[in-house]
Amino acid sequence: MADSGEEIYKTTFKLYRNWSPKSDLPLIDLRYAENYENFFQQLEQSSDISSPSVVANCETFTHFKPFDQWKIYKLIKGLDGFFIITGILKENFRQDWFDYFHDQLPSYHEELNLKSNISLNDLNEKSKSKLRWITFGYHHDWNSKVYDLNQKTVRIPDRINDLCRIVSMFMNFHISSSSSSTLKPEAGIVNYYTQNSSLCFHTDHSELNHHAPLFSLSLGSSAIFLIGGQTKQSSQPIVPVLLNDSDLVIMSNESRLALHSVPKILPSETLVKNGNILRVNVNIRQVF
Ligand SMILES: O=C(O)CCC(=O)C(=O)O
Ligand SMILES: [Fe+2]
């Protein structure tokens, strides 16, 4: 028989897989953060952060809300180092980012040395509806769970480099130890979710460096995200949080190796023409 820790994770995942607006399961939506102050604490904004010269000439920076409008929340009921910055992109760039990862990135597969669950040659609407993941940078072998460290061509898309630079800079203002807030992007996964997709509980531990944070950007439909302890036997609670369009999750410090899952994708509120793919998640890691 499975032990009680296994059972709790399995049951919680199933409950949230069947979540509906009518169910009375708790779900933290940081758009109404004032209701969840026992779980997430909003960090004070540093006063001198509004016009960083380092990113002044960076085109991608204009896609983001100005730093003084970023809202950053730290999980206080659970492992240390878990943050969510809500809605970091300007409203009028959100569809553009979704389209970039859904439509443009796959077509750069040669230049960027991408891998995917489908062939990225001769893509059409039908084949694109079968797209589930693309990896960039160092490629992860899903079976052996190791990176190919002998890989010759390691490319990171410009937008990812820019995103990491901008977010790392913002985090350095808020977190005292800079080593745990700066991410050098070396590998990544773009996950494509349909209405029925889910992702089971797992930890992301294949990277050699577990001190660097992991950044995870959500685009499109909202998703239920569960974050628990480092093992199923840990006494940490499993916290259910809704990830909305252009929310950025940071898993650093203890939470870097936390169990997490995505049991449910909510129906799209705004997206119009993305075929059957409702949500894109961009998951960025430092390997070394
Ligand atoms: O889709 C998400 O929000 C999380 C994806 C994830 O955990 C992963 O790719 O390892
Ligand atoms: Fe993960």
Side-chain angles (χ1 to χ4, degrees):
M1 215 184 104
D3 66 34
S4 65
E6 276 297 333
E7 274 313 316
I8 290 169
Y9 275 79
K10 204 166 123 194
T11 310
T12 308
F13 183 88
K14 264 199 200 155
L15 280 171
Y16 280 94
R17 174 106 192 104
N18 294 316
W19 182 93
S20 88
K22 291 197 196 102
S23 62
D24 51 11
L25 287 168
L27 182 59
I28 297 170
D29 184 346
L30 291 172
R31 290 175 298 188
Y32 313 100
E34 63 282 5
N35 299 337
Y36 305 104
E37 284 169 353
N38 292 336
F39 287 90
F40 281 91
Q41 177 196 13
Q42 185 173 359
L43 300 190
E44 291 283 324
Q45 276 276 12
S46 160
S47 54
D48 56 348
I49 193 172
S50 52
S51 54
S53 56
V54 197
V55 287
N57 297 322
C58 171
E59 211 267 322
T60 313
F61 192 56
T62 65
H63 300 187
F64 291 87
K65 287 181 186 162
F67 274 161
D68 58 9
Q69 288 177 25
W70 287 26
K71 289 186 177 160
I72 174 163
Y73 299 93
K74 179 181 179 9
L75 180 66
I76 47 176
K77 227 180 214 146
L79 295 174
D80 186 51
F82 185 81
F83 302 90
I84 300 178
I85 310 176
T86 53
I88 60 172
L89 291 168
K90 289 177 185 158
E91 303 276 344
N92 54 335
F93 278 100
R94 293 183 183 177
Q95 185 73 43
D96 176 85
W97 274 62
F98 189 104
D99 294 346
Y100 172 79
F101 287 103
H102 183 257
D103 299 322
Q104 296 173 39
L105 183 72
S107 66
Y108 304 142
H109 67 98
E110 280 177 3
E111 304 93 288
L112 290 171
N113 186 30
L114 304 175
K115 280 197 180 164
S116 173
N117 68 304
I118 60 165
S119 160
L120 297 176
N121 295 314
D122 309 319
L123 275 175
N124 54 44
E125 286 313 309
K126 187 157 179 276
S127 60
K128 230 192 259 171
S129 70
K130 303 206 165 67
L131 187 57
R132 292 296 169 267
W133 56 264
I134 287 178
T135 54
F136 58 83
Y138 285 99
H139 296 293
H140 187 249
D141 180 324
W142 300 100
N143 296 316
S144 64
K145 292 202 161 53
V146 290
Y147 283 100
D148 175 7
L149 302 180
N150 299 319
Q151 203 179 304
K152 298 229 163 46
T153 320
V154 181
R155 298 265 155 77
I156 303 294
D158 289 345
R159 274 194 196 207
I160 301 287
N161 274 321
D162 293 344
L163 171 81
C164 291
R165 215 152 42 90
I166 292 165
V167 173
S168 295
M169 188 168 54
F170 179 82
M171 289 305 286
N172 280 325
F173 281 94
H174 289 92
I175 309 299
S176 48
S177 130
S178 63
S179 65
S180 68
S181 52
T182 300
L183 167 63
K184 180 165 176 261
E186 292 171 332
I189 305 164
V190 187
N191 294 297
Y192 299 87
Y193 293 87
T194 65
Q195 182 73 76
N196 285 321
S197 305
S198 62
L199 180 66
C200 292
F201 270 110
H202 65 280
T203 57
D204 296 309
H205 55 257
S206 303
E207 298 70 32
L208 305 180
N209 181 337
H210 293 160
H211 297 291
L214 178 157
F215 291 171
S216 171
L217 177 67
S218 290
L219 297 166
S221 286
S222 301
I224 300 179
F225 183 86
L226 302 176
I227 167 117
Q230 290 192 347
T231 70
K232 292 182 181 169
Q233 285 68 42
S234 104
S235 58
Q236 294 293 342
I238 300 173
V239 178
V241 51
L242 194 63
L243 296 181
N244 297 308
D245 196 3
S246 105
D247 282 357
L248 187 103
V249 164
I250 295 162
M251 296 172 77
S252 67
N253 205 0
E254 292 175 349
S255 79
R256 172 66 183 77
L257 294 174
L259 284 153
H260 56 284
S261 66
V262 180
K264 191 170 182 69
I265 307 299
L266 269 49
S268 166
E269 285 171 13
T270 50
L271 285 170
V272 255
K273 51 150 192 78
N274 302 306
N276 65 339
I277 290 168
L278 298 185
R279 175 175 186 259
V280 173
N281 168 263
V282 191
N283 215 276
I284 316 164
R285 295 103 186 262
Q286 180 167 334
V287 177
F288 297 102

